[in-house]
Amino acid sequence: MTLSHTDPVVSVDHLAKRYGNHPAVRDVSFTVQRGTIAGFLGPNGAGKTTTLRALLGLVEPTSGTALFGTTRYRDLPEPSRLVGALLDAHVGHPGRTAIGHLSVLAAPLGIPRSRVVAVLEQVGLADAAKRRIGGFSQGMRQRLGLAGALLGEPEILVLDEPSNGLDPDGIRWLRHTLLDFAAAGGTVLLSSHVLAEVAQTVEEIVVIAEGRVLAHAPVGDFTSGLAGKATRVRTPSLDLMTGALDAAGLGYERLEHDVLRVQGAAPDELGRLAAAAGAVIYELSPEVVDLETAFFNLTETRTKELAR
Amino acid sequence: MTRLIRTEWLKLATTRGPWAVIAGVIALTALITPFAMAEIGKGDASRAADAQEALAIGPGFITALLLLLLGALASAGEFHHRTIASTYLVTPRRGRVLAAKLIAHGALGAAVAAIGAAISFPVVLLMARSDDLHVASTGHLAALAFAIVAAGALASICGVAAGSILRHQTASIVVILVWTLLVEKLFGGFFPPVLPFGAILAAVGMAGEDGPGIAASLAIVAAWAGVLGFAATRVIERDVTA
């Protein structure tokens, strides 16, 4: 089965999941378009894993839907050929060999042994094929988990914290693997709480905290805008500029004798404000915030807002 | 469905548990059967019945207990080792996974019991001949052999169903051991024909003269396997969070 080329390949709509009285996911909605690498970010306990498990048919949502195209995972024919998933570093029976583990996953789909051998080579575990999983490091388990996800040659990868346990080499290898997968037309949804790792891989991000989506945007927009829009203003007309900012109700701080950092306004907006006030401007530049800072700014602010 | 059954066979073949059970059945049957035959008194009136028990103690009693445990460990082990998520990701129709597991383990149970019987029958019959003891008619021996094989299959099925319901390896082991060796013993000295393990023992000829017949006992065990299997189908749709 292949999905429509126009619809989102992943659609999560007002998903909620309660375990008894505990709301693990309150209200999560987002879509992922074909050919993108989307990061699903949030602190531990935010609801990432529950959302992914609901998407993959392992937990039943209390309300809302989580679909691939327009179909639930459980209703897809041979879903592993469309969606490859890695949910847990504990990928297999510790007494089983790596090749035995993948053979067990391949058997229901009729995938030949040659494909099993090929994915072991792809993830760099060819030499460990006949070793028992119980003796694997966590990084090797993650590679084996990814081999399992790739086994059915899927169009979509859903990966929960795939870089857990990987050394720097492994993280670089994972990044290249995912970029190659997306370059070939594949779609990736990966969760992480280690932002520095996904920053160089993902194109768009969905930020979740306390079971709700806080932001969904391309990485660039997220770092420059959603995370707390700020603009650096260099002006010799400091009094005129600060007067205009005060009148507009915009917050600012003085960084240098002629430099202001203005919160909550983009450069074009400030340019108009300065022109109206007759202030001379030497520099107007959006403040570039790294993903990690933006993420913490956003989650802290929104979590406090939700608590109120 | 054939692929799924083959997958369950592959799961069994690629772990040590089934091989350990097969080795255990062979070793224990080979050790215990001659010992049980040697214990039969010369002038004892119930020598034939005792010899029939000696036939079944390895491939019947010990094998059924080990197969119950193996089945439960295999199905609950999917949760313990967290392989259940990948199993359901590949085959989201959980009822089909359960059915395949029950069939594969049923076949394994029958095969293991047959191996045990292939050891105990020659030992008992050879020792009985040298002792001038008539164990049973050929027809009754064939019926006992069939019962042992069927009981092995049904014990495996009960174990798989119990493990699927409990989803916890340690709990499965404790429940099975307490149930078979304590609860059933307390409620009727092992042989109330309505309880599953007692019915297994009755089916393989370990209930003595007073036990229900082979067919009736197997029917009772099959009914228990059906009840447990049905209960398992009711709980497998629960969330997989591990």
Side-chain angles (χ1 to χ4, degrees), chain A residues 146-200:
Chain A
L146 196 62
L150 293 167
L151 195 60
E153 299 181 76
E155 296 176 28
I156 305 162
L157 285 177
V158 176
L159 311 172
D160 194 10
E161 306 273 1
S163 51
N164 267 3
L166 291 180
D167 57 19
D169 265 357
I171 290 170
R172 193 163 56 241
W173 164 82
L174 176 68
R175 187 184 309 135
H176 288 305
T177 302
L178 298 183
L179 290 172
D180 289 347
F181 183 81
T187 307
V188 182
L189 173 62
L190 70 99
S191 82
S192 182
H193 67 282
V194 186
L195 304 171
E197 289 166 6
V198 301
Q200 296 174 56

Side-chain angles (χ1 to χ4, degrees), chain B:
Chain B
M1 196 62 192
T2 310
R3 278 182 183 170
L4 288 181
I5 295 167
R6 207 178 296 145
T7 302
E8 292 302 327
W9 268 106
L10 192 57
K11 285 181 186 177
L12 288 166
T14 51
T15 49
R16 295 172 186 166
W19 302 109
V21 166
I22 292 169
V25 165
I26 292 171
L28 290 171
T29 303
L31 277 172
I32 290 171
T33 306
F35 183 74
M37 281 300 288
E39 286 292 293
I40 297 174
K42 287 279 181 200
D44 201 332
S46 61
R47 292 174 76 207
D50 289 345
Q52 286 174 29
E53 287 203 8
L55 279 173
I57 193 162
F61 176 83
I62 291 169
T63 303
L65 191 55
L66 289 177
L67 289 171
L68 272 169
L69 291 171
L70 177 67
L73 288 175
S75 51
E78 291 248 29
F79 292 89
H80 180 77
H81 298 300
R82 303 188 202 178
T83 52
I84 193 69
S86 51
T87 295
Y88 286 160
L89 285 174
V90 175
T91 312
R93 291 180 187 168
R94 301 180 184 184
R96 289 169 65 86
V97 173
L98 176 65
K101 207 179 275 292
L102 292 172
I103 292 168
H105 276 262
L108 175 77
V112 173
I115 291 170
I119 296 168
S120 75
F121 274 57
V123 169
V124 167
L125 294 176
L126 283 172
M127 288 181 75
R129 183 190 287 178
S130 69
D131 211 18
D132 220 14
L133 169 64
H134 178 70
V135 177
S137 67
T138 308
H140 190 66
L141 287 175
L144 276 179
F146 171 77
I148 285 169
V149 171
L154 291 169
S156 282
I157 288 170
C158 289
V160 168
S164 299
I165 294 165
L166 293 168
R167 288 180 152 199
H168 193 284
Q169 279 194 321
T170 309
S172 298
I173 293 169
V174 170
V175 166
I176 286 171
L177 290 177
V178 168
W179 180 269
T180 54
L181 302 178
L182 191 65
V183 174
E184 289 206 19
K185 198 163 189 175
L186 284 175
F187 292 97
F190 266 133
F191 302 116
V194 292
L195 297 178
F197 199 62
I200 286 174
L201 298 182
V204 300
M206 293 186 71
E209 298 292 323
D210 302 328
I214 289 173
S217 302
L218 284 178
I220 292 166
V221 186
W224 273 103
V227 167
L228 289 169
F230 178 76
T233 65
R234 301 294 91 190
V235 299
I236 53 172
E237 295 299 334
R238 287 184 297 188
D239 291 338
V240 175
T241 54

Side-chain angles (χ1 to χ4, degrees), chain A residues 106-171:
Chain A
L109 301 171
I111 292 171
R113 191 177 172 86
S114 57
R115 174 66 188 157
V116 171
V117 173
V119 288
L120 278 171
E121 282 172 6
Q122 187 180 351
V123 302
L125 287 178
D127 291 342
K130 292 185 179 172
R131 279 177 54 191
R132 292 188 192 280
I133 299 170
F136 277 20
S137 68
Q138 197 171 349
M140 291 170 79
R141 285 168 191 253
Q142 289 289 53
R143 285 172 184 261
L144 184 61
L146 196 62
L150 293 167
L151 195 60
E153 299 181 76
E155 296 176 28
I156 305 162
L157 285 177
V158 176
L159 311 172
D160 194 10
E161 306 273 1
S163 51
N164 267 3
L166 291 180
D167 57 19
D169 265 357
I171 290 170

